[in-house]
Every structure is written in C-alpha cells, then in structure tokens.
Amino acid sequence: MAHRCRGRKELKAPDKDENCVSAREPFLPQEIVIEILNWMPVKYLLRMKCVCKQWNDLIQDRYFIQKHISLTNSRYVYYFNRQKVEGNMDEEDDDKDKSKKETFHLVCGCDGMLLKRSNASQKCLIHNPTTRKILYLPDSDHDLSLSISFSFVPSIGEYKLVSIYEDTATGNEGCEVITVGVDESWRPLQLPNSHGPNQSRRKLSVASAGAAVHCFRVTEVVGEVFEEVVSLDLETECFTSTILEPGLYSDWKKVWALNWNGRPALAETGREELKVLVIEDYKKKYKLAENKFGVSLGGAKKVMQGEDFVPLVAERGILWVWLRDKKMFGYDIKHGRVRRELSVPEGYRITDTMYIGRESLATLRGMQKQPSSWLV
C-alpha cells in the first residue's frame, strides 16, 4: 500500500500528561509510543483512546489517522449489495419490518468509509462502520447519476466525490464535484464534449484510480464513432482528453473500465480470460494497443462454470470478478487460483457493486454518531 503522508508535517509528540501511563515511563520516548500505536489494529486503538486525554487526542489527529491508514495491519473487510429477487435492496441479514427505518445501499468506498445512497430517495451519506459515524451529504440537483467516485487526494489532504450524470436538457453527460466536509453544495464542472449535440452514447464506463477519475466513453455522431477517455485530475479539477486508436476493441459490450493496481485500465472479457490494457500515465500520448496483456482465468473454471462475468478491480495481485447475480470471487493472478468467494443466500442476487478495504479511523468534518434507532 502506498505511503499516504508524503509532503505532510511530521507527527510531534504531544505534551506530557501526568495522567497518561506513558508519562510515568520516561524510558519509553513518546515518539516510540506514536510509532507503536501507528501499527496497531483499529479495534485496539478505539480502546486506547480511553487510556488518557493525550492518547485520545493523538488517535483522533488527522495526520496520525492518515499515517495509520498507510501502515495499518487491520483486517480487510468486504462490502457489497445484495438484492431480493423481488427487487428490494437490502444489506441486512434479517427480514424484520423496516418500514419506519431508512435503509441504504452501497455505492463505493474509500479508506474504510462507505458512500451509501438511500433506497427511498437520492439522499447520500458517508459511513465509517468501524467508528460508527456518519455524514449526510448535500443533495444534488441531478437525479440521473451514471457514476459516483469517492477518492482521497493526498496533495491537499481532502476527500472528494465526483458524479458523472446524464443532463436531461442536452442528453449529454455532465459532471459535478464536492470536497467532503468543506463544500456546502456540489460544484459543476464542464465535462469536455467536442462532438456536438447530435451524439448518442454507446458505452460509458468510469474508473477511479489514484487521484484521478477516468471516464471511458464511446459515442456515435452521424454514423461516426468516437472512442476516448476523459480524465479528471482531482487536485487541479482539470480534464485531460485522450482519443483512443480506432478499432482498439471490436465489441465494447465486452469491455470494462477498472482500477488495476492504482492505474486506470480496460479489460476485455473472453471465455476464460481477460485482455487487459493498463494506462500507466493518462497525460502522455502513446499507442495504447501496444500495452495489452492477457490474464488467464483457467484456475477459476469450476467457480465460473461458463457464466458471464465482469472484472471489478485488481489489487495486490488479486482480481475480483462478478458472476452476474450469483457471486463474486477473488482470483490470485500469479498462482492461478480462487482465493475467496462471496455469495448470498437463496432468494437473493448479488449486484456488481463492492468495496474492499481495511478498517480505519478515517473521519470527516461534520461527522456525527450513527443513530442507534436504525441500521445503516
């Protein structure tokens, strides 16, 4: 995992507190205490906050939290949506009456925090299930959101959300962004559109990778097809457009955008293989077709059983794959075998939305305790 604290001030040892255990142990420097705490799992740090005021303040310090995220050995957690066959989205295991409780489904996640949307409205919130804190987001003026990305921008130390939506007035895609905990409303950005008003969308797929969001789109204008990737730098909020070589893919219905080890990528699905194109530097112009490579999924033959599949994300050598409606599985690319399967009970289907991350102490300005009267 990449170090997230480059360019930030170093953590300094807080003033000594006579009520703190470590203050009565002068042979253990405070810098060492901080280093030890940085490597502790989240569940223990939550208990350590009760040791003394000094430790409580330290563990809630934003610089400590970001360093802990970069170093932590906390366990991985897996979140995904399941849907009743009848059509009611529900992440909970029980089937109790929830008519008086507002329920939410997963959209995406970042640093152990989950972006969720209400099942009854377009209301969104960010939830840290480890610390049990939530933050409601301002309403958007656009209901037809095609994709929402949630990212941390290391250079400015802020979290941002980017929504790609369908503009009902023009029929084209629009874009809006919000700096979480800072902005009071969504800010519109001018998404590049150089093909005129009479275009029709054939394909739109979005991948968030690093401090950028990449929108792969295929449009047709009066019989002419344009294939391109429009990338948004989250620090500068400036777009970069790259025209893909004609004929890069013959059937875009089989091509999916995803995060491939921190880089944007396109993956074309075959029977039991992927043809992957990783874009190493989206700001450079070069022939992308020369960077394609194959990934065999032969080791997952028993799990896949010839079913249609969609690649979701590749991290730390594990490729996560969605078997439509049935299950997800993590595939070890190097060793050619399935490492983990995620499935749902009979009567449910699994959707293509998932988030894999570590438990974290990440917090945002304005977060409050999760209400005990309902489950998020």
Side-chain angles (χ1 to χ4, degrees):
M1 182 180 294
H3 199 283
R4 305 291 290 277
C5 300
R6 184 174 58 186
R8 294 183 177 175
K9 69 178 184 181
E10 293 295 324
L11 281 172
K12 295 182 179 179
D15 294 334
K16 290 187 177 180
D17 181 351
E18 62 180 4
N19 295 318
C20 184
V21 173
S22 61
R24 300 196 299 267
E25 303 292 342
F27 58 87
L28 187 61
Q30 289 294 326
E31 291 77 8
I32 302 300
V33 173
I34 293 174
E35 187 67 18
I36 293 172
L37 292 177
N38 262 313
W39 288 93
M40 295 186 70
V42 173
K43 65 177 181 178
Y44 296 120
L45 286 177
L46 292 174
R47 298 176 188 174
M48 294 297 180
K49 289 171 63 178
C50 301
V51 171
C52 61
K53 183 179 184 301
Q54 179 187 2
W55 283 20
N56 179 70
D57 293 344
L58 170 65
I59 292 171
Q60 295 184 89
D61 181 87
R62 63 177 297 187
Y63 299 103
F64 175 88
I65 291 174
Q66 284 303 321
K67 186 174 182 181
H68 182 266
I69 290 173
S70 69
L71 299 176
T72 183
N73 59 353
S74 297
R75 68 188 182 95
Y76 282 103
V77 285
Y78 306 85
Y79 298 97
F80 57 92
N81 291 323
R82 72 182 191 182
Q83 189 175 30
K84 282 187 177 180
V85 174
E86 293 78 12
N88 293 322
M89 187 73 72
D90 182 9
E91 287 185 81
E92 307 303 328
D93 291 333
D94 60 341
D95 291 320
K96 296 178 181 179
D97 180 21
K98 299 184 179 67
S99 59
K100 297 182 180 179
K101 299 179 181 179
E102 190 173 15
T103 57
F104 294 78
H105 63 270
L106 175 68
V107 178
C108 57
C110 179
D111 284 350
M113 297 182 290
L114 310 177
L115 173 64
K116 294 184 175 183
R117 175 178 287 169
S118 170
N119 292 322
S121 67
Q122 294 298 311
K123 191 71 176 178
C124 292
L125 60 79
I126 293 175
H127 177 216
N128 187 328
T130 303
T131 62
R132 300 180 66 83
K133 290 186 176 182
I134 62 172
L135 174 68
Y136 282 100
L137 297 173
D139 292 334
S140 170
D141 294 331
H142 305 281
D143 293 337
L144 299 178
S145 178
L146 303 172
S147 171
I148 301 182
S149 302
F150 183 17
S151 306
F152 178 73
V153 189
S155 58
I156 60 175
E158 300 288 356
Y159 290 89
K160 290 189 177 184
L161 293 171
V162 176
S163 173
I164 306 295
Y165 61 89
E166 183 172 350
D167 190 333
T168 55
T170 64
N172 297 330
E173 298 86 23
C175 179
E176 56 185 0
V177 63
I178 186 170
T179 303
V180 184
V182 176
D183 294 334
E184 295 183 355
S185 61
W186 291 80
R187 294 179 284 108
L189 297 179
Q190 186 62 46
L191 188 67
N193 179 20
S194 58
H195 307 309
N198 298 320
Q199 63 179 0
S200 60
R201 183 173 60 244
R202 281 192 177 184
K203 178 83 174 186
L204 186 141
S205 190
V206 178
S208 176
V213 174
H214 309 271
C215 179
F216 296 85
R217 62 185 185 185
V218 181
T219 55
E220 182 177 354
V221 183
V222 195
E224 188 174 2
V225 177
F226 296 90
E227 304 168 352
E228 63 183 339
V229 53
V230 179
S231 302
L232 173 64
D233 185 307
L234 292 177
E235 179 186 0
T236 63
E237 296 187 0
C238 294
F239 290 96
T240 300
S241 296
T242 303
I243 301 298
L244 303 178
E245 298 101 286
L248 190 62
Y249 295 103
S250 59
D251 186 0
W252 278 91
K253 293 180 180 180
K254 297 181 179 180
V255 180
W256 307 92
L258 70 159
N259 181 332
W260 192 279
N261 295 321
R263 296 286 186 271
L266 291 170
E268 183 180 18
T269 58
R271 183 169 179 80
E272 291 176 357
E273 67 173 356
L274 289 178
K275 291 182 179 178
V276 182
L277 170 61
V278 177
I279 302 177
E280 296 293 343
D281 188 344
Y282 66 91
K283 296 181 180 180
K284 289 185 177 181
K285 309 292 183 181
Y286 50 83
K287 288 191 175 182
L288 298 177
E290 298 175 355
N291 298 324
K292 279 187 179 181
F293 61 90
V295 176
S296 172
L297 298 177
K301 187 178 297 186
K302 291 184 179 180
V303 176
M304 296 173 65
Q305 297 181 347
E307 299 284 346
D308 288 341
F309 67 96
V310 176
L312 300 177
V313 63
E315 293 182 346
R316 297 171 293 275
I318 303 298
L319 171 66
W320 282 91
V321 177
W322 174 52
L323 294 182
R324 293 183 182 273
D325 299 339
K326 296 185 177 181
K327 67 173 64 178
M328 295 178 180
F329 66 88
Y331 186 74
D332 188 322
I333 299 174
K334 181 178 180 180
H335 298 95
R337 60 188 178 90
V338 175
R339 292 285 297 273
R340 188 181 182 96
E341 294 184 47
L342 304 176
S343 57
V344 293
E346 186 177 352
Y348 289 84
R349 66 185 184 87
I350 193 168
T351 73
D352 62 343
T353 302
M354 78 172 304
Y355 169 66
I356 308 168
R358 291 185 185 271
E359 296 176 323
S360 84
L361 295 165
T363 188
L364 301 165
R365 299 179 191 90
M367 267 191 157
Q368 55 188 311
K369 288 184 178 180
Q370 170 187 324
S372 57
S373 59
W374 49 271
L375 297 172
V376 180

